[in-house]
Amino acid sequence: FVLITQSLNKHRNHWRSQHLDSNVTMPKSEDEEGWKKFCLGERVYSEIDALSDNENLGIDYIKVGFPPLLSIVSRMNQATVTSVLEYLISWFGEKKFTPELGRWLYALLACLEKPLLPEAHSLIRQLARRCSEVRVLEENKNEEQISALNLIICLVSRYFDQRDLADEPS
């Protein structure tokens, strides 16, 4: 994770200079609903289980959400990273954990610069606590999901020095 954050910071200007595809329109920083749809896709956002148009072979990012590509996250300043993290954590407080959500949370954590702003500090603590709650409810059900939740808890507790939120060694 440390190497990822260092690489991201080192190459941020390069990725920022890359053109986004014409279908990528990033929401404004204060557009909470826009960011939730952008990151998670309308399918997850609207909680639609099945895609009805199977004949379409291309990926419809409006439906499935944009992945946290370097060309996207490199354009985000710390205020935007914090805002989007806040939106996704509030989403996660009410909804289930999805792979799309996990990818975005990981990418946004990698974009957070230390020392943390107070609001970011509070957000990541809230995120780790929510991951712990969901993990208890998911115990032995979905190992892939448990691993993702464990990773987020570990990053918050170890990388961001929130040791009191770390799992106790058994």
Side-chain angles (χ1 to χ4, degrees):
F1 187 76
V2 172
L3 294 175
I4 288 170
T5 58
Q6 288 171 347
S7 178
L8 180 72
N9 288 327
K10 183 177 168 189
H11 300 293
R12 188 176 296 267
N13 289 334
H14 166 76
W15 285 106
R16 199 174 276 160
S17 68
Q18 300 302 305
H19 291 289
L20 287 174
D21 289 345
S22 59
N23 67 334
V24 180
T25 305
M26 291 173 62
K28 291 191 175 5
S29 182
E30 63 280 355
D31 181 4
E32 181 172 351
E33 300 304 309
W35 274 109
K36 288 175 184 175
K37 288 179 184 173
F38 183 85
C39 298
L40 305 171
E42 289 183 352
R43 202 176 50 153
V44 171
Y45 180 79
S46 304
E47 298 185 83
I48 300 168
D49 287 332
L51 286 176
S52 56
D53 54 352
N54 290 337
E55 68 278 353
N56 185 356
L57 297 175
I59 296 174
D60 184 350
Y61 287 114
I62 304 301
K63 285 187 180 147
V64 299
F66 287 91
L69 303 170
L70 283 171
S71 57
I72 293 173
V73 297
S74 294
R75 285 177 165 69
M76 299 168 84
N77 60 26
Q78 286 300 289
T80 303
V81 169
T82 303
S83 293
V84 176
L85 198 53
E86 181 180 358
Y87 304 151
L88 295 179
I89 291 169
S90 88
W91 165 269
F92 183 33
E94 304 161 8
K95 309 284 184 180
K96 64 183 181 177
F97 187 83
T98 64
E100 296 85 358
L101 178 63
R103 284 190 285 273
W104 270 98
L105 291 172
Y106 184 89
L108 292 169
L109 288 174
C111 291
L112 277 180
E113 295 173 2
K114 288 168 51 171
L116 292 176
L117 298 170
E119 55 271 22
H121 188 265
S122 172
L123 281 170
I124 64 167
R125 291 184 62 78
Q126 185 182 339
L127 174 60
R129 285 191 298 270
R130 177 67 179 144
C131 287
S132 294
E133 291 168 7
V134 171
R135 185 177 61 181
V136 167
L137 299 173
E138 281 292 322
E139 215 58 71
N140 299 325
K141 292 179 189 156
N142 182 340
E143 226 166 278
E144 204 170 284
Q145 188 171 7
I146 301 290
S147 295
L149 295 167
N150 284 340
L151 176 61
I152 292 170
I153 294 166
C154 182
L155 291 175
V156 170
S157 63
R158 306 269 190 256
Y159 181 77
F160 292 105
D161 300 319
Q162 304 302 305
R163 304 254 184 247
D164 59 310
L165 297 173
D167 291 328
E168 295 298 318
S170 39

